[in-house]
Amino acid sequence: MKMLHYAVLFVILFSSSSHAADFCVAKLKGAGNPAGYACRMPSKVTVDDFVFAGLGVAGNTTNIISAAVTPAFVQQFPGVNGLGLSMARLDLAPAGVIPMHTHPGASEILFVVQGKITAGFISSSANTVYVKTLKKGDVMVFPRGLLHFQINAAGINAVAVVSFSDPDPGLQITDFAFFANDLSSELLEKSTFLDDAQVKKLKKVLGGTG
């Protein structure tokens, strides 16, 4: 009798459970939210939604930081929606730098494909700095939300492939957050301990006002 009871319970549990969707290709026309994008109808999904070819092309490093990031995030690669991962290509010309920044939504792991890259992050608890010069084949991880950076450490172009633990990792570059907006120079001087000349110089370089 007890065995029959367990058998009936087993059937009820499994017959009432719903089958999880295999994937949720992003419907990018709608607005995204912290949970991701709405799912496209399966009948509208093609194999191309699960393929991204952009990481094989070098990014344009002719800019103020002599670097380029080619993202394969959900906005460019809708097939990763809901899967908890994404990728990017990092190109650093000689003297190139990805300034101090953070990804609020994801941890990051970097694989050096070419050249040498000095990379590091700062802990949030004790402000401990972890820095290493990476060579071809090396991998480094950057925990979610922590400030980190990458700098070309050789006289040749450096290339890395980066993976994130979220389809939309987010990005905030510290220098741009401070100096590329209309936050007043007076408030910046008080909150950063920089003098007026330094603040105005950085605002001019990065396009800020105020």
Side-chain angles (χ1 to χ4, degrees):
M1 193 68 179
K2 185 180 289 186
M3 185 64 70
L4 178 61
H5 175 76
Y6 286 146
V8 172
L9 181 61
F10 179 88
V11 171
I12 292 173
L13 286 173
F14 277 83
S15 63
S16 63
S17 63
S18 59
H19 177 68
D22 292 324
F23 49 77
C24 176
V25 173
K27 187 177 181 181
L28 295 176
K29 290 184 179 179
N33 59 66
Y37 286 83
C39 303
R40 195 181 307 170
M41 292 291 294
S43 60
K44 302 291 185 180
V45 173
T46 72
V47 67
D48 290 333
D49 292 312
F50 303 102
V51 177
F52 182 80
L55 300 189
V57 180
N60 182 6
T61 59
T62 307
N63 51 57
I64 191 173
I65 60 174
S66 298
V69 176
T70 304
F73 301 159
V74 65
Q75 293 85 359
Q76 299 82 26
F77 192 9
V80 302
N81 187 50
L83 298 183
L85 51 81
S86 59
M87 297 185 73
R89 172 181 171 137
L90 172 60
D91 288 278
L92 289 164
V97 56
I98 301 297
M100 196 72 73
H101 64 284
T102 181
H103 302 290
S107 296
E108 171 184 345
I109 190 164
L110 178 146
F111 172 72
V112 180
V113 176
Q114 174 182 304
K116 292 183 178 181
I117 296 174
T118 298
F121 66 89
I122 303 170
S123 73
S124 64
S125 54
N127 288 321
T128 303
V129 179
Y130 299 90
V131 179
K132 184 81 172 181
T133 296
L134 310 171
K135 63 183 185 301
K136 180 179 177 180
D138 287 347
V139 173
M140 186 170 183
V141 67
F142 306 89
R144 175 178 177 170
L146 296 188
L147 289 166
H148 60 287
F149 64 90
Q150 292 95 17
I151 301 173
N152 189 328
I156 63 171
N157 291 338
V159 179
V161 173
V162 184
S163 180
F164 298 93
S165 63
D166 193 274
D168 188 9
L171 171 66
Q172 186 172 41
I173 300 175
T174 308
D175 292 338
F176 288 86
F178 284 165
F179 306 110
N181 53 39
D182 61 355
L183 182 60
S184 73
S185 296
E186 180 183 0
L187 289 176
L188 274 172
E189 291 158 21
K190 290 179 179 178
S191 60
T192 63
F193 305 109
L194 296 173
D195 63 37
D196 185 65
Q198 291 172 312
V199 168
K200 288 181 176 176
K201 176 183 177 182
L202 290 166
K203 277 183 170 288
K204 183 177 180 180
V205 169
L206 298 176
T209 60

